[in-house]
Amino acid sequence: MRAVRGVSQDRPPVWIMRQAGRYLPEYQEIKRQHSFVEMCTTPEIAVEVSLQPYRRFGFDAVIVFYDILFVPEAMGAPLQFTEKGPVFLRPLREAREIEKLHSPDLEATDPQRGTGAVLESLKALRANVPSKDAVLGFAGAPFTLAAYLVEGNFQRSGERVRRMMNEEPDVLHALLERLTVATVDYLLLQVEAGADAVQLFDTWAGLLSVDDFRDFALPYQQRIFSAVRATGAPTILYVNGSPHLLASLAESGATGLSVDWRQPLADVRRLLGSGIVLQGNLDPLKLFSPPAKVREMTQSLLDSMAGDSRYVFNLGHGIHRETPVESVEALVATVQAWNKTANRSG
Ligand code: CP3
């Protein structure tokens, strides 16, 4: 929280996207007895799983365990998590299907109707995590949620959603509009429940050209950030594959950007100036290198951001499910030992 407010500290804080997950043996243990959906929607389990990486590594933030896709599910889109990832059973391709979506009853605990479980989990986390560490909430951004809803089973190219963008732009805008209204209410409830800051995941908006991004993603992000800003809670925006979008992302109104691994973070800082918070951006696949190499790459990223008071250490995307635990240990220990006044390699 100090870093997002630009308060100078000896080292940047560190957390990693998807920090709770399959790379952890203690997560696997719970996963053997419960489905992913059960884990997310049973606050007692979700809280335990959220705390596992925090306890093991000493991260500076806890992100609540849940998924971005539960919001559209609560709006009436049947969802299944399979071995190959999430699937919406009835992809939305026509105006009349989109009109059938309803507003979620966000506080309801039944996942087919609402998101009450994550609000409960946030309350419990904020009550149990020491106040020096942050509790983070999150949501999917309208474009990324729409991409899943339209594709059903999302593939990397996003062809169907981009086709709809051109064939029936008004239909897509109608869907984005409904998702925006729900997401605003959802994030306000998360802040009320105890989230110190919230991250908006627009993972797939990086597929868009700058012009399409400015039509179909940016205006909705702006509405969401402007609504959350009124609560005083800082906001972070993540878009994967975003080098061409950086200048536009800076117009989103987010307090900070979570930057993917494709560009040197120090270059992003030079491009965007010192006012915006930056988070990132080690390539998650770098964690498959030997621990000594992980330490070296972590150190060099830290050195490249030395003296930057608006910096949060993270990966450039979620951690891979088969990542060696020793790599995460090496990463976190390197950040924790780093000190702005110590000798540096760079
Ligand atoms: O960061 C965190 O630890 C918080 C929890 C979190 C999850 N998903 C848990 C999860 C967050 C913030 C998300 C966001 C999310 N979910 C995004 C945006 C960020 C990104 O990674 O791009 C997206 C696109 C989704 C949709 C989703 N959920 C996919 C594509 C998958 C399958 C991929 C995979 O890793 O298996 C999920 C499932 C999911 N969500 C898992 C976790 C821990 C894996 C579930 C398991 O253990 O089986």
Side-chain angles (χ1 to χ4, degrees):
M1 294 308 287
R2 286 195 290 273
V4 290
R5 300 201 159 106
V7 178
S8 173
Q9 305 179 84
D10 285 343
R11 64 160 177 91
V14 55
W15 69 281
I16 64 183
M17 291 188 270
R18 293 276 182 88
Q19 63 189 27
R22 290 195 212 176
Y23 73 104
L24 285 179
E26 57 270 37
Y27 176 95
Q28 298 273 14
E29 174 92 36
I30 295 183
K31 185 81 204 275
R32 274 196 284 280
Q33 296 153 48
H34 302 278
S35 70
F36 174 67
V37 173
E38 263 166 31
M39 288 166 70
C40 290
T41 58
T42 312
E44 204 178 49
I45 302 176
V47 166
E48 169 57 23
V49 169
S50 308
L51 291 173
Q52 284 176 344
Y54 172 76
R55 284 195 297 251
R56 182 191 266 261
F57 303 109
F59 285 120
D60 299 301
V62 177
I63 184 161
V64 68
F65 193 75
Y66 205 62
D67 200 85
I68 62 169
L69 301 180
F70 290 120
V71 170
E73 185 184 31
M75 296 171 74
L79 170 67
Q80 234 170 48
F81 284 90
T82 70
E83 262 310 296
K84 289 199 199 122
V87 181
F88 281 106
L89 302 177
R90 293 201 307 263
L92 299 181
R93 311 254 162 93
E94 285 171 39
R96 60 183 166 78
E97 293 167 328
I98 288 164
E99 279 155 22
K100 279 196 230 145
L101 290 179
H102 50 76
S103 310
D105 178 4
L106 290 164
E107 285 165 284
T109 47
D110 170 2
Q112 259 117 56
R113 293 178 47 232
T115 56
V118 72
L119 303 176
E120 283 306 307
S121 301
L122 282 167
K123 274 184 208 145
L125 286 171
R126 194 52 287 174
N128 286 292
V129 172
S131 59
K132 68 176 178 51
D133 296 324
V135 171
L136 306 177
F138 66 88
F143 177 76
T144 289
L145 297 178
Y148 277 96
L149 284 164
V150 171
E151 305 274 334
N153 182 357
F154 190 84
Q155 305 299 326
R156 307 234 143 224
S157 69
E159 222 168 78
R160 280 192 184 273
V161 69
R162 289 192 297 129
R163 181 170 149 183
M164 181 187 275
M165 189 177 284
N166 294 288
E167 260 172 4
E168 293 189 288
D170 295 346
V171 173
L172 184 56
H173 278 300
L175 175 57
L176 294 166
E177 176 64 35
R178 280 167 191 255
L179 292 166
T180 301
V181 171
T183 303
V184 164
D185 290 346
Y186 181 54
L187 289 176
L188 295 179
L189 284 170
Q190 289 195 12
V191 171
E192 200 182 302
D196 296 304
V198 293
Q199 179 153 330
L200 189 71
F201 286 94
D202 214 346
T203 306
W204 298 114
L207 290 171
L208 303 178
S209 69
V210 174
D211 285 345
D212 285 339
F213 178 84
R214 299 183 72 87
D215 278 350
F216 291 93
L218 184 62
Y220 300 101
Q221 295 169 353
Q222 286 171 330
R223 273 168 58 190
I224 293 166
F225 291 130
S226 123
V228 178
R229 191 174 321 120
T231 69
T235 50
I236 300 168
L237 172 62
Y238 176 75
V239 176
N240 190 16
S242 61
H244 61 302
L245 297 173
L246 288 169
S248 301
L249 298 179
E251 292 176 42
S252 66
T255 317
L257 299 182
S258 191
V259 179
D260 75 61
W261 71 91
R262 292 171 179 80
Q263 60 261 302
L265 202 53
D267 290 359
V268 179
R269 174 57 83 209
R270 275 189 287 278
L271 182 74
L272 300 182
S274 59
I276 196 158
V277 173
L278 294 180
Q279 173 175 282
N281 75 342
L282 192 70
D283 180 349
L285 278 297
K286 296 283 178 207
L287 297 180
F288 288 93
S289 358
K293 183 82 184 155
V294 172
R295 276 192 286 276
E296 197 183 296
M297 290 181 294
T298 302
Q299 180 84 35
S300 107
L301 175 50
L302 286 163
D303 290 346
S304 76
M305 297 300 283
D308 198 315
S309 56
R310 288 193 163 80
Y311 172 46
V312 178
F313 197 100
N314 206 311
L315 300 178
H317 196 182
I319 188 168
H320 190 283
R321 55 167 87 164
E322 286 159 13
T323 304
V325 169
E326 309 79 72
S327 293
V328 181
E329 273 161 12
L331 180 151
V332 178
T334 307
V335 182
Q336 286 168 343
W338 192 86
N339 186 300
K340 67 176 176 187
T341 55
N343 286 337
R344 293 193 291 271
S345 59

